[in-house]
Amino acid sequence: MDITKLTVHELQEKLKSKEITVVDITKAYVENIEKHEKEVQAFITPLTKEAVEQAKEIQEKIEKGEVNSSLAGIPIGIKDNICTKGVKTTCASKMLENFIAPYNATVMEKINAQNMINLGKMNMDEFAMGSSTEHSYFQKTHNPWNLNTVPGGSSGGSAAAVAADLVPWALGSDTGGSIRQPASFCGVVGLKPTYGLVSRYGLVAFASSLDQIGTITKDVTDSAILLNLIAGHDKKDSTSENKEKVDYTKALKNNVKGLKIGIPKEYFGEGINSEVKKSIEQSIEIYKKLGVTVEECSLDIANYALATYYIIACAEASSNLGRFDGIRYGYRAQNYSDLKELFRNSRSEGFGEEVKRRIILGTYVLSSGYYDAYYKKAQQVRTFVKREYDKLFAKYDILLTPASPTTAFEIGAKDSNPLEMYLADICTVPVNVAGLPGISIPCGIDSKGMPIGMQLIGNKFAEETLLNAAYTFEQEIKFRENYEPTFKGGAN
């Protein structure tokens, strides 16, 4: 039995029946990390030694009856923009290369309360700005399905680690598709919850009105289990919604009869890879056989969502990253003659090219004379986007689209054209602009053996409907039983 191939709910069953121990699980993952991390490069800060020691302590507590959580001893990977007390939280940036978080994010407090084991901090695009995990100060993460391709981004380290069985599941963050797109590229399940369902306290901000912590897992059941843990009101987060607690695992009923799904035609136009389109169309036929009513619909405002997203996201990034000035914390330049030069040199040396590009764009759209023309206009369009979604959800339970217009592309393929990289998010950003939940689940592979992801979009706080639709589809196609990463190709 290969422990690392098991889902978390399968691990829980085997722990309950005492077939395996917490130490067995942790050591199996540590061995896999030692075997594959050099080629995948998913971790910034591995915590393998600490994890084994922690596993021994937790196993002892379980045997003494001091711990009764069903998640006790389950390992997890944490994206490196989520504050973890006493551990480096770098955001994959030179600016925070040696920053050790003095407190835990709310999601980390919840994880620690269950006696779970942190296997390490995962690689990402610097400050979550990117779609390929090539924009990390430390290293480029490789897709375990083909090591010459990207894992997507910005949560590429988390997605690649789950796909490569280096962690059983992981937390990521999603500002414009940063969970769903890498999940699509790596053949795993990525859930971006409704804005406000999961506390952002302790998540290093990129764009505060768009950021959302979410889950990357091997299957939909694990997504529901992890969402159960991290969802909930938090008084430390002013945007956190005070909703009644829900058990999302109860939504997994393997029955979608009577569900109405809308297919926005704008998501199937120019730029969508033919193999991706074909796989999504086959998925639609599967839903029809399962008793779902499927209709084509229009979401023409989606054509403006990408521009709206990049104006709002860059403006908020410009504001949020202003705190990194070389004085309070983070990287400080060694050579400067006055305060202005200290700011300039610290930011020039501490930030990478993509982060600087977005800060400059954001500062421009917020500047005098351009604020109304760009930022204010983008916020107005954002309202229209929300209204258009509201109209569709008055008619449909779920919208179905590709998660990405293509499968994983080769490392370095889009280096010379940032705009082409931004277009990789075209299917996912409207969801963040409207604050809706979305999930990416694998629905097939292309002719090169790379995974294809399907995105399901729900109305606000309709995670139960999304999870049920995703779970039922998953049970039908059994992707994990038929396909697995090949680790082919060579690390660049």
Side-chain angles (χ1 to χ4, degrees):
M1 175 179 63
D2 185 346
I3 288 173
T4 64
K5 295 291 181 192
L6 302 175
T7 60
V8 169
H9 55 95
E10 288 168 341
L11 290 174
Q12 288 176 311
E13 287 299 318
K14 294 198 178 294
L15 280 172
K16 190 176 179 182
S17 64
K18 298 186 177 178
E19 285 181 61
I20 55 175
T21 67
V22 169
V23 177
D24 293 334
I25 296 170
T26 306
K27 282 186 174 178
Y29 275 102
V30 169
E31 285 173 15
N32 236 23
I33 291 168
E34 290 170 351
K35 182 181 177 183
H36 289 300
E37 171 57 12
K38 283 182 182 176
E39 51 190 351
V40 178
Q41 298 179 34
F43 288 83
I44 290 176
T45 307
L47 298 170
T48 50
K49 288 180 182 176
E50 298 88 338
V52 173
E53 289 306 311
Q54 196 181 350
K56 290 174 183 174
E57 291 171 14
I58 292 170
Q59 185 60 42
E60 201 173 307
K61 286 180 181 178
I62 291 171
E63 287 168 4
K64 288 180 179 176
E66 296 173 3
V67 173
N68 57 12
S69 164
S70 64
L71 290 172
I74 299 293
I76 190 168
I78 307 295
K79 188 176 180 180
D80 206 24
N81 59 348
I82 296 172
C83 286
T84 312
K85 188 176 181 179
V87 177
K88 282 185 182 180
T89 299
T90 72
C91 294
S93 177
K94 182 179 180 180
M95 183 62 78
L96 291 174
E97 183 178 5
N98 296 307
F99 175 68
I100 294 176
Y103 70 100
N104 275 319
T106 296
V107 290
M108 287 308 303
E109 292 285 359
K110 291 183 175 186
I111 283 166
N112 293 339
Q114 299 297 316
N115 285 280
M116 291 171 68
I117 296 171
N118 182 3
L119 277 171
K121 305 300 288 291
M122 315 311 299
N123 197 25
M124 55 184 280
D125 285 299
E126 184 182 5
F127 283 102
M129 298 182 194
S131 305
S132 64
T133 316
E134 293 174 283
H135 301 295
S136 167
Y137 171 67
F138 299 98
Q139 63 201 14
K140 293 177 181 177
T141 298
H142 301 257
N143 191 322
W145 291 79
N146 181 339
L147 296 167
N148 294 323
T149 63
V150 302
S154 61
S155 305
S158 294
V162 173
D165 298 321
L166 307 184
V167 296
W169 55 10
L171 290 184
S173 68
D174 192 311
T175 306
S178 288
I179 285 173
R180 289 159 289 149
Q181 187 249 23
S184 173
F185 280 11
C186 293
V188 291
V189 177
L191 173 65
K192 180 256 169 201
T194 304
Y195 184 79
L197 183 64
V198 178
S199 172
R200 291 185 299 110
Y201 179 77
L203 173 70
V204 179
F206 161 15
S208 304
S209 72
L210 300 163
D211 297 340
Q212 187 59 67
I213 293 173
T215 67
I216 296 177
T217 58
K218 292 181 180 181
D219 71 357
V220 176
T221 302
D222 282 358
S223 290
I225 293 168
L226 192 49
L227 185 61
N228 275 349
L229 174 61
I230 63 174
H233 178 64
D234 179 15
K235 62 183 180 182
K236 294 175 184 173
D237 176 4
S238 61
T239 61
S240 174
E241 293 279 351
N242 197 354
K243 303 286 290 183
E244 190 177 329
K245 195 74 174 168
V246 173
D247 182 356
Y248 294 101
T249 60
K250 290 183 178 176
L252 311 177
K253 294 174 182 173
N254 199 9
N255 182 2
V256 287
K257 284 180 182 174
L259 203 70
K260 291 192 76 175
I261 293 182
I263 313 294
K265 61 185 179 183
E266 288 78 9
Y267 285 80
F268 294 85
E270 189 181 345
I272 302 297
N273 175 280
S274 59
E275 290 188 85
V276 170
K277 186 176 180 181
K278 183 181 177 182
S279 185
I280 299 297
E281 287 171 348
Q282 289 170 347
S283 301
I284 291 167
E285 291 305 312
I286 289 171
Y287 270 120
K288 286 179 181 177
K289 289 176 186 174
L290 292 169
V292 172
T293 302
V294 178
E295 290 178 6
E296 185 178 82
C297 59
S298 179
L299 190 66
D300 56 358
I301 199 74
N303 295 326
Y304 305 99
L306 191 68
T308 302
Y309 166 82
Y310 273 101
I311 290 171
I312 294 170
C314 291
E316 293 184 10
S318 168
S319 177
N320 279 324
L321 270 62
R323 71 192 72 176
F324 301 109
D325 52 15
I327 294 178
R328 284 166 282 195
Y329 52 83
Y331 176 79
R332 177 184 288 195
Q334 297 299 306
N335 301 311
Y336 55 90
S337 56
D338 56 27
L339 193 61
K340 276 190 175 179
E341 197 172 13
L342 169 62
F343 288 170
R344 183 170 63 247
N345 291 356
S346 295
R347 288 169 175 162
S348 296
E349 296 167 20
F351 289 134
E353 292 304 311
E354 182 60 31
V355 174
K356 284 188 267 195
R357 186 182 291 120
R358 298 198 193 195
I359 289 173
I360 290 166
L361 177 58
T363 305
Y364 174 78
V365 300
L366 290 175
S367 60
S368 178
Y370 297 100
Y371 180 92
D372 286 351
Y374 292 104
Y375 185 70
K376 184 181 177 183
K377 184 70 71 177
Q379 291 289 16
Q380 290 170 334
V381 175
R382 183 181 204 169
T383 302
F384 283 119
V385 172
K386 289 178 179 177
R387 285 177 186 166
E388 288 303 304
Y389 273 113
D390 287 342
K391 287 177 188 174
L392 288 181
F393 285 121
K395 191 173 182 182
Y396 304 107
D397 300 301
I398 284 173
L399 303 178
L400 188 157
T401 75
S404 171
T406 66
T407 52
F409 47 86
E410 289 205 355
I411 291 170
K414 299 183 187 292
D415 278 357
S416 60
N417 190 343
L419 189 59
E420 195 179 332
M421 186 78 84
Y422 295 167
L423 289 169
D425 298 330
I426 198 161
C427 297
T428 52
V429 294
V431 173
N432 297 75
V433 170
L436 301 172
I439 189 169
S440 172
I441 54 173
C443 63
I445 60 169
D446 68 6
S447 57
K448 294 178 181 177
M450 299 302 289
I452 296 169
M454 173 179 71
Q455 178 179 224
L456 301 176
I457 305 167
N459 204 352
K460 281 190 175 182
F461 303 107
E463 276 80 359
E464 290 166 281
T465 306
L466 270 190
L467 288 164
N468 182 49
Y471 175 78
T472 307
F473 180 83
E474 180 184 76
Q475 300 306 302
E476 188 70 18
I477 71 160
K478 302 190 186 305
F479 181 86
R480 287 186 69 247
E481 292 179 22
N482 295 312
Y483 309 107
E484 64 178 359
T486 59
F487 294 92
K488 65 184 178 182
N492 290 357

